[in-house]
Amino acid sequence: MVVLLFSSCSNSTTDEAAQFFLKGNVQLQKREFKEAIRFYSEAISKKSDFADAYNNRGLAKFRDDDREGALADYTRAIELDPDFSTAYFNRAEVLLETGDAAGSVADLQRIEKQYRDSTFYQTRLGDAYVRLANVSQAQVAYDRALQLNPNNVEALTNRAALFYTQKAYEQAGEDIQRALRLNPKQDAALNNQSLLLARAGNFAEALTFVERALTVQPRQPFYLNNKAYLLLKLNRPAEALPLVNESLQRDSQNAWAHQTLGLYYLSQQQIPPALAAFRQAEKLDASVDQLYYYIGKAEQTLNHQQAACEAWRLGEAAGDEQSRQMHAQACK
């Protein structure tokens, strides 16, 4: 979560700007974000260089799903106070969520001396390195976060996801189990557990876990996609299609959802749209698990044997066993 800092205004407590600021803090604590924004704006109108008010208004906007507004306010707070470490931390959070992982790392590095012993700082640093595909640095950060606080559920969950992408499934499972013992409603951990179960072929049990994740975050696009994938595996394609379409509507850049859409079309013997969906997944993220196996299957069905063999060759090079088997069988 974003670190909160409620500092007091440099003027006396009777100053109007300070009074509006304090009212904003009360509303922020009550999760009345629009009211908090209104009070912080009043404080800023009385004191235009009120860096704390900009920072806290940014936090209220962030919590109210206004990422761009939050980014502008955090940036203004930093312009007013270049040593405002909390504003750097908060801006790093919103930069990460808006796709600027490099900018997030830069802000986090700027405040390393103040925050290096914060488990929350190390978790966010790990998240940013994951987005930059810097696995070793992400691992170091998550490990440090858990040294500082072994019960940091977010760090456990995110390190498990990193282990999963590295095919360290046993270690991923250990972290997920620890996270769920600490917080049985941790939606990301529930979703990750469903992925592990699906990988083992336990699709019905996996479905129960992703459905539990969706009770916490009903419109989360990754969870919607994972449920769609499991429904396809359980031969329930009619139920899967609306979910994967909603997932893509909410996040069109999710390569996994494009693969799931391709699997839906493949199950319906609609090969050209299946191949188009797989190729879109490849364009977005060629590392999606088993993607080249499915591309090869679609190309083979279209009698494009050379293209199929090339896809399986790429899958084999990426460590996909099914691609290796198909390449050995069909590409002598």
Side-chain angles (χ1 to χ4, degrees), residues 3 85 125 207 223:
V3 172
S85 58
L125 186 62
L207 183 62
Y223 306 167

Side-chain angles (χ1 to χ4, degrees), residues 151-325:
N151 295 332
N152 182 335
V153 174
E154 186 179 7
L156 282 167
T157 300
N158 294 358
R159 188 174 71 173
L162 182 65
F163 281 140
Y164 186 92
T165 63
Q166 299 304 301
K167 303 186 188 305
Y169 301 117
E170 183 176 349
Q171 292 165 289
E174 290 172 359
D175 275 359
I176 291 168
Q177 289 303 313
R178 285 177 59 193
L180 290 175
R181 282 195 295 270
L182 291 164
N183 181 3
K185 294 184 178 180
Q186 218 291 343
D187 53 290
L190 289 165
N191 179 69
N192 291 347
Q193 178 65 12
S194 80
L195 294 176
L196 283 174
L197 288 166
R199 183 185 171 276
N202 299 327
F203 302 121
E205 186 180 2
L207 183 62
T208 67
F209 277 90
V210 77
E211 285 177 336
R212 285 168 60 189
L214 283 164
T215 63
V216 182
Q217 293 283 352
R219 305 271 67 88
Q220 213 285 345
F222 290 100
Y223 306 167
L224 290 167
N225 173 62
N226 290 343
K227 182 176 180 180
Y229 171 78
L230 292 168
L231 289 169
L232 286 173
K233 288 296 184 178
L234 292 167
N235 198 27
R236 295 158 62 180
E239 297 171 68
L241 183 59
L243 293 172
V244 70
N245 281 335
E246 182 178 354
S247 176
L248 285 168
Q249 183 180 20
R250 293 179 177 277
D251 182 2
S252 64
Q253 302 303 299
N254 181 2
W256 292 86
H258 285 283
Q259 175 172 269
T260 301
L261 183 62
L263 291 173
Y264 167 80
Y265 286 126
L266 202 61
S267 74
Q268 303 302 299
Q269 299 299 310
Q270 299 179 41
I271 308 305
L275 185 57
F278 292 144
R279 289 299 185 185
Q280 181 62 23
E282 180 189 26
K283 180 179 178 182
L284 292 168
D285 183 359
S287 70
V288 169
D289 196 31
Q290 295 187 307
L291 175 60
Y292 283 110
Y293 167 74
Y294 292 121
I295 289 175
K297 292 291 286 183
E299 294 283 16
Q300 184 184 51
T301 305
L302 294 171
N303 295 317
H304 301 160
Q305 192 62 27
Q306 184 175 349
C309 287
E310 175 60 14
W312 291 325
R313 185 191 67 78
L314 291 170
E316 181 179 6
D320 177 32
E321 177 61 19
Q322 286 184 288
S323 289
R324 186 196 67 77
Q325 291 177 6

Side-chain angles (χ1 to χ4, degrees), residues 65-79:
D65 292 326
D66 179 6
R67 302 301 192 248
E68 295 303 321
L71 182 60
D73 276 353
Y74 294 145
T75 298
R76 182 58 180 153
I78 291 166
E79 289 171 351

